[in-house]
Amino acid sequence: MLITVITAVAQEHRADYRVVPLPDRIDGIKDKDFLLKSTCLIDYPAGNRDMERVAVMLSGYIEDLTSMHLSTRPVKSSTNNSGCISLSLDPKMINDEGYRITVTSKNIEIAGKTPAGVFHGIQSLRKSLPVGQTTTVIMPAAQIVSNPRFGYRGMHLDCVRHFFDAETVKRYLDIMALHGMNRLHWHLTDDQGWRIEIKKYPRLTEVGGWRKGTVLGHNSPVNDGIRYGGYYTQDEIRDIVQYATDRFITIIPEVDMPGHMLGALAAYPELGCTGGPYEVWCQWGVADDILCVGQDKTLQFVKDVLDEVMQLFPGEYIHIGGDESPRVRWQQCPRCQQRIKDLGLTAHGKQSVEALLQGWFTTQMQQYLAAHGRHIIGWDELLGCDVDTTATIMSWRGAEPGAEGAKLGHDVIMTPVGPLYFDYYQTKDTWNEPTAFGGCNTLKKVYDFDPVAADLPAGMRHHILGAQANVWTEYITCEPQIQYQILPRMAALAEVQWMEPAAKDYQDFKARLPHLVDIYKHYGWTYRAKSLAVEEEEQEQP
Ligand code: ACM
Ligand code: ZN
């Protein structure tokens, strides 16, 4: 009896390296266990600010989960690191974001080619820890090595349809970091609001940031009549960008154009084909009113906005949207028709002159951004507009546009509605779920997704940069609901993003998931507990 109890306690305080996403290799080393205690120091290379920061973060993570406080220490390479966790850089490693953790009875070394790799190693070590107060964690001697399959490992967040404050966005970044993700696609402008302060055009947020009310349900005739809105100041954005950068996450802002622009049109009606008046939309869907690209002042407006966007977001990519842009206004607009004539656009194949006008407009913005060293990402509608292959395509209307884009020579990010729209339901039992868009993207469907289509020729596979889940928030009104929609589906996505398909195993993943969920619980995050049950998957077999 006594022996059983002692064993149970020891088990509880033992690290388990089989985390989510599962590392490529976990090889045992013939040595005694390492005993992690609060007297262990976390060493980092003296003078390296990134390594100092991640060392402090590791200390925080260990304290969060175990209540042990470990101090950090800057060291020269010759320092004796016995009994320590040493963070180090190894230029010989192959992948910029890969990591190697070596645990011996003497010490733990977390190595990466870059601090980002070390950070991912830290996340892996963090997830291996038991959750709950303790004074010692037994760390079995082992070497753990992992390299991500894809360089682009994203999550998207729509902060327009509902607005989420800076603290919520930061927690979203925390959740991403735990899952080894590195790109936040931040949807900041749309028909239902303009959420980014632009100094040159203050009405964008003063007027365009607010709607008179919000439709109830899926576009019912009933509006709640409650003024709704908000926006991020440039100071808040800089702070969020820094918070992301500290976690090796690049934020890709999206300014959706030329459609999904009612927020801007309500503020500056002269930018539309009819001149308005326009209102910030109180319902969901696709609006006919879009930017009038027949006038030069519209192009100047967009460039001015992009100037401020580029100042705030230092990353390579700016997302310019391009989805769901009806052409009815352009067909009726003398200025837009004149532009088509002046440019000598002629319809060919499936492409109308208005589609080519969108292509021309997009190319103007693409070239403007390129002159500032930036690249565009756009939704897959751009494939129908003759844009050149320096545009990266985000495949959302299924996986086929992604394959088509790769064949044409575009880089592609896979975010197909099935299974990567996390605003969709996660079960067929929708009655017992928070209201969602529709559809059914189960945990297993997410897990089984391969961003690289089986029939994509080998020579084109390098165009698939990675995968991302999208979180549109028409029906998501609060942070717990965001978390419910993404957890635990993000865990499944993390294995899609990190692991080779041949190494993936859903049942094994499900066995490893409860420990990750213990970490969710520890941080007080909301998640869909039913997705952990084995039975549900069986019910959902077609
Ligand atoms: C989209 O869902 N309209 C990209
Ligand atoms: Zn026009």
Side-chain angles (χ1 to χ4, degrees), residues 260 323-324 379 396 421 472:
H260 286 287
D323 60 323
E324 299 177 323
W379 298 109
W396 74 278
Y421 269 38
W472 302 101

Coordinates of all heavy atoms in Angstrom, one line a residue, residues 260 323-324 379 396 421 472, ligand 1:
H260 N -15.1 44.8 -48.6 CA -15.1 44.8 -47.1 C -14.6 46.1 -46.6 O -13.8 46.1 -45.6 CB -14.2 43.6 -46.6 CG -14.9 42.2 -46.8 ND1 -16.0 41.8 -46.0 CD2 -14.7 41.2 -47.6 CE1 -16.4 40.6 -46.4 NE2 -15.6 40.2 -47.4
D323 N -10.8 39.4 -51.0 CA -11.9 38.5 -51.1 C -13.2 39.2 -51.3 O -13.3 40.4 -51.0 CB -11.9 37.6 -49.8 CG -12.2 38.5 -48.6 OD1 -11.6 39.6 -48.5 OD2 -12.9 38.1 -47.7
E324 N -14.1 38.4 -51.8 CA -15.6 38.8 -51.8 C -15.8 40.3 -52.2 O -16.3 41.1 -51.4 CB -16.1 38.6 -50.4 CG -16.1 37.1 -50.0 CD -16.6 36.8 -48.6 OE1 -16.3 37.6 -47.7 OE2 -17.2 35.7 -48.5
W379 N -6.3 36.9 -50.4 CA -7.2 35.7 -50.5 C -7.2 35.1 -51.9 O -6.8 35.8 -52.9 CB -8.6 36.1 -50.0 CG -8.6 36.6 -48.6 CD1 -8.8 37.8 -48.2 CD2 -8.5 35.8 -47.4 NE1 -8.8 37.9 -46.8 CE2 -8.6 36.6 -46.3 CE3 -8.2 34.4 -47.2 CZ2 -8.5 36.2 -45.0 CZ3 -8.1 34.0 -45.8 CH2 -8.2 34.9 -44.8
W396 N -8.6 29.7 -49.2 CA -9.7 29.6 -48.2 C -10.9 28.9 -48.7 O -11.6 28.2 -48.0 CB -10.0 31.0 -47.6 CG -10.8 31.9 -48.5 CD1 -10.3 32.7 -49.4 CD2 -12.2 32.1 -48.4 NE1 -11.4 33.4 -50.0 CE2 -12.5 33.1 -49.4 CE3 -13.3 31.6 -47.6 CZ2 -13.8 33.5 -49.6 CZ3 -14.6 32.0 -47.9 CH2 -14.8 33.0 -48.9
Y421 N -11.4 26.5 -40.7 CA -12.2 27.6 -40.2 C -12.6 27.2 -38.8 O -13.5 26.4 -38.6 CB -13.3 28.0 -41.1 CG -12.9 29.1 -42.1 CD1 -11.7 29.0 -42.7 CD2 -13.8 30.1 -42.5 CE1 -11.3 30.0 -43.6 CE2 -13.4 31.1 -43.4 CZ -12.2 31.0 -44.0 OH -11.8 32.0 -44.9
W472 N -13.1 33.8 -37.6 CA -14.0 35.0 -37.8 C -15.0 35.1 -36.7 O -15.4 34.1 -36.1 CB -14.7 34.7 -39.2 CG -13.8 34.5 -40.3 CD1 -13.5 33.4 -40.9 CD2 -13.1 35.6 -41.0 NE1 -12.6 33.6 -41.9 CE2 -12.3 34.9 -42.0 CE3 -13.0 37.0 -40.9 CZ2 -11.5 35.6 -42.9 CZ3 -12.2 37.7 -41.7 CH2 -11.4 37.0 -42.7
Ligands
ACM1 C1 -13.0 34.9 -46.2 O1 -13.4 34.0 -45.4 N1 -13.9 35.7 -46.8 C2 -11.6 35.0 -46.6

